[in-house]
Amino acid sequence: MGSLASERTVVGWAARDATGHLSPYTYTVRKTGPEDVVVKVLYCGICHTDIHQAKNHLGASKYPMVPGHEVVGEVVEVGPEVSKHRVGDVVGVGVIVGCCRECRPCKANVEQYCNKRIWSYNDVYTDGQPTQGGFASTMVVDQKFVVPIPAGLAPEQAAPLLCAGVTVYSPLKHFGLTAPGLRGGILGLGGVGHMGVKVAKAMGHHVTVISSSSRKRAEAMDELGADAYLVSSDAEAMAAAADSLDYIIDTVPVHHPLEPYLALLRLDGKHVLLGVVGEPLSFVAPMVMLGRKAVTGSFIGSVDETAELLRFCVDKGLTSQIEVVKMGYVNEALERLERNDVRYRFVVDRSFSCPRCVGRVRWIGLQMVDA
């Protein structure tokens, strides 16, 4: 155990206003508490939610704000009551860093549904101090919300799994959609969608990617291994695919009609909403009534599900497809993400000193961008 420090100075990259532009920002984090883990950030994924929050798309942003909730780092200090992690461990921190621990969701170990959950950033701890995310040198996190990164998983590959990966894994598991042979649709092929294809294929599903154009057909079929590709604007193809899917994982983060996709579902099919959309979505009731279909939603995953997903990825040999960038490139990366110009997840590299990263080829077919 390292020596317990008083408040420490941290350098992060923060948005100061709704332009969303990030620049270096110095702030302090709390001293190490009894159950706290001090994490030296090595990698942090860039999620579309980071854009929503930095640009105040949801109307609740607090500045200055250090985004980042797909954090992988090295443990450099632990509190005296920490039993799950040791100095030198490589660990992950996701979207949630606090919960009440007393409500029904918390007692069921689905703390992401706790009404008093604390977000990794753009939130406040119970003592009133602001939370700041993983676009920073260091985070101090309660051990409950820190997961070990398995030895068989490259740290930079693990980052997107902490949000994008578990976001698709959790509903497949919860809604009983894990059996081999199911036919699933992945609506939208971005950071979450590409993990949806990979996870569903690893479960033995027949996977159809549904997109608004044919632009990503080759990527979906040849690179990600999808079984079919459906262009939503092709009325004839959509009609031919009616009543063919057991579920649709809907990752689209902007307003879109639901009725064309509900028609693709079989009896008892499920349309699972994952994208954060700030406008009402609608459909006519017979679209669900006449097939006993369900429109439902799911939100990230629990700490337990995250650890389970990481082991699943090691067992199945799954990796995310990422573009690794340096911190100085983060604003360009956010702009490109907003244009959907990434295949399929940006990961910020904050350090080259991770002992598990030295002396091996880390990125096959990936681009390393210099700031």
Side-chain angles (χ1 to χ4, degrees), residues 42-91:
L42 301 173
Y43 300 96
C44 187
I46 302 178
C47 176
H48 205 278
T49 300
D50 296 325
I51 296 174
H52 286 317
Q53 296 285 18
K55 293 193 172 185
N56 198 27
H57 290 167
L58 304 178
S61 296
K62 306 176 185 68
Y63 302 102
M65 175 202 306
V66 178
H69 58 241
E70 297 178 340
V71 186
V72 175
E74 179 185 355
V75 177
V76 295
E77 185 178 299
V78 296
E81 296 179 19
V82 171
S83 59
K84 298 179 179 180
H85 311 285
R86 297 182 297 177
V87 171
D89 287 352
V90 179
V91 297

Side-chain angles (χ1 to χ4, degrees), residues 25 68 102 105 118 143 149 198 208 232-233 242 282 286-287 290 351 359 363:
Y25 169 61
E102 298 176 354
I118 300 174
Q143 67 170 336
I149 303 299
K198 285 173 169 279
T208 298
S232 58
S233 59
S282 63
M287 291 297 298
L290 297 179
S351 172
W363 309 315

Side-chain angles (χ1 to χ4, degrees), residues 49-166:
T49 300
D50 296 325
I51 296 174
H52 286 317
Q53 296 285 18
K55 293 193 172 185
N56 198 27
H57 290 167
L58 304 178
S61 296
K62 306 176 185 68
Y63 302 102
M65 175 202 306
V66 178
H69 58 241
E70 297 178 340
V71 186
V72 175
E74 179 185 355
V75 177
V76 295
E77 185 178 299
V78 296
E81 296 179 19
V82 171
S83 59
K84 298 179 179 180
H85 311 285
R86 297 182 297 177
V87 171
D89 287 352
V90 179
V91 297
V93 180
V95 182
I96 304 296
V97 295
C99 62
C100 77
R101 309 192 189 210
E102 298 176 354
C103 66
R104 180 182 173 191
C106 285
K107 290 182 178 179
N109 291 322
V110 285
E111 62 283 337
Q112 71 271 32
Y113 298 111
C114 173
N115 288 331
K116 296 181 180 179
R117 60 186 170 267
I118 300 174
W119 309 108
S120 298
Y121 68 90
N122 196 39
D123 206 346
V124 293
Y125 292 107
T126 53
D127 63 2
Q129 292 300 307
T131 64
Q132 302 289 9
F135 293 174
S137 58
T138 305
M139 292 182 72
V140 180
V141 184
D142 187 291
Q143 67 170 336
K144 173 179 173 58
F145 304 95
V146 179
V147 294
I149 303 299
L153 188 60
E156 69 277 7
Q157 290 283 354
L161 303 179
L162 302 171
C163 175
V166 76

Side-chain angles (χ1 to χ4, degrees), residues 46-48 51 333-340 342 346:
I46 302 178
C47 176
H48 205 278
I51 296 174
L334 287 166
E335 291 173 3
R336 285 179 54 193
L337 175 59
E338 202 160 18
R339 301 194 303 267
N340 197 26
V342 57
F346 283 115

Side-chain angles (χ1 to χ4, degrees), residues 292-314:
R292 202 165 59 192
K293 302 171 186 179
V295 177
T296 186
S298 181
F299 176 62
I300 53 167
S302 67
V303 174
D304 287 349
E305 287 172 325
T306 302
E308 186 177 311
L309 168 67
L310 294 173
R311 293 191 297 269
F312 176 85
C313 288
V314 172

